[in-house]
Amino acid sequence: MRPLFTIHAGEFLVGEFIEHTYPNLNVWIPSKDTGIDLLVTNEKNTSSISLQVKLSRDYKASNAITDFDKNLIAAGWLTLKHDKIAKSMADFWVFVLISHERNMEPQFIVIPPSELLKRLMAIHGQSKNYHFYPWITKSKTQSKIALDGRGLLKMDKKNLETGLLDLGQRDLSDFLSNWSMLENLN
């Protein structure tokens, strides 16, 4: 067995979060690259969940001017390949977003790859690659909203801020820090 890679920052943050939040679970790092970054098992290692982890640096403007920018917690950008999502053997993909603001905890969007692909295709049509903008924002009607922000217009952002925008397939809020699968594993 030769090491092919080392753990990257996103994988470390997810592993650390799981070990801290679910101390009875075990987190494993595969010895070769199979498209699964972390394996999480129950205490007796009889049941498992596999995770693919994607980290994005924060693309949020450092000097917020508009109300929308002021309410934006983190704004990521990743290029995702249709085939990689479609063929993914991971049970869940975890998108890790880290805010410029040092006092903010990492934000996690935890979504099954089939659901991710369905939503990307509904929003952007079928494509070889998707430019995915995972955003976490605050609104006047909800505490936090997770969404795919790619292609939103200024008016959409204004309507999002006031709660008037129907996000439809863009709405990823149900997947924001949704670790229920680990609670079931525990």
Side-chain angles (χ1 to χ4, degrees):
M1 174 172 59
R2 292 182 319 188
L4 296 176
F5 57 91
T6 58
I7 189 167
H8 72 63
E11 295 163 359
F12 176 81
L13 289 170
V14 171
E16 181 182 55
F17 172 83
I18 292 170
E19 286 184 343
H20 180 329
T21 309
Y22 303 97
N24 293 335
L25 299 180
N26 299 313
V27 179
W28 304 87
I29 302 167
S31 64
K32 64 180 180 178
D33 188 1
T34 62
I36 293 173
D37 295 321
L38 298 173
L39 190 65
V40 183
T41 63
N42 61 1
E43 194 169 22
K44 295 182 179 182
N45 302 324
T46 57
S47 187
S48 66
I49 290 178
S50 55
L51 305 175
Q52 169 72 314
V53 179
K54 301 289 184 188
L55 171 72
S56 176
R57 75 172 185 86
D58 197 4
Y59 286 89
K60 180 177 88 170
S62 56
N63 54 345
I65 298 169
T66 68
D67 285 340
F68 177 81
D69 290 339
K70 290 176 186 173
N71 288 325
L72 200 56
I73 297 169
W77 173 31
L78 299 113
T79 303
L80 306 175
K81 294 181 185 222
H82 180 98
D83 287 346
K84 287 217 176 191
I85 303 169
K87 294 176 183 174
S88 178
M89 298 193 41
D91 295 315
F92 294 89
W93 280 35
V94 181
F95 295 94
V96 182
L97 303 169
I98 301 173
S99 175
H100 285 303
E101 299 162 22
R102 300 288 182 230
N103 61 346
M104 295 293 294
E105 293 291 321
Q107 304 293 309
F108 304 104
I109 297 173
V110 186
I111 186 168
S114 59
E115 182 67 23
L116 173 65
L117 188 57
K118 179 183 91 170
R119 287 170 180 261
L120 289 171
M121 288 173 54
I123 299 164
H124 308 293
Q126 186 165 341
S127 180
K128 185 177 178 182
N129 296 306
Y130 301 98
H131 291 274
F132 177 54
Y133 293 8
W135 291 351
I136 312 295
T137 185
K138 296 181 280 187
S139 80
K140 294 176 183 171
T141 58
Q142 280 184 290
S143 56
K144 285 185 188 176
I145 298 172
L147 69 141
D148 178 2
R150 171 113 168 123
L152 285 183
L153 305 172
K154 281 185 182 181
M155 183 54 78
D156 294 331
K157 292 176 183 178
K158 194 168 204 62
N159 287 335
L160 175 63
E161 207 180 300
T162 59
L164 297 175
L165 181 65
D166 177 16
L167 290 172
Q169 294 294 312
R170 290 180 181 280
D171 190 354
L172 302 172
S173 300
D174 288 345
F175 305 102
L176 181 59
S177 295
N178 184 348
W179 297 101
S180 59
M181 83 301 254
L182 295 183
E183 292 164 13
N184 295 336
L185 189 62
N186 201 9

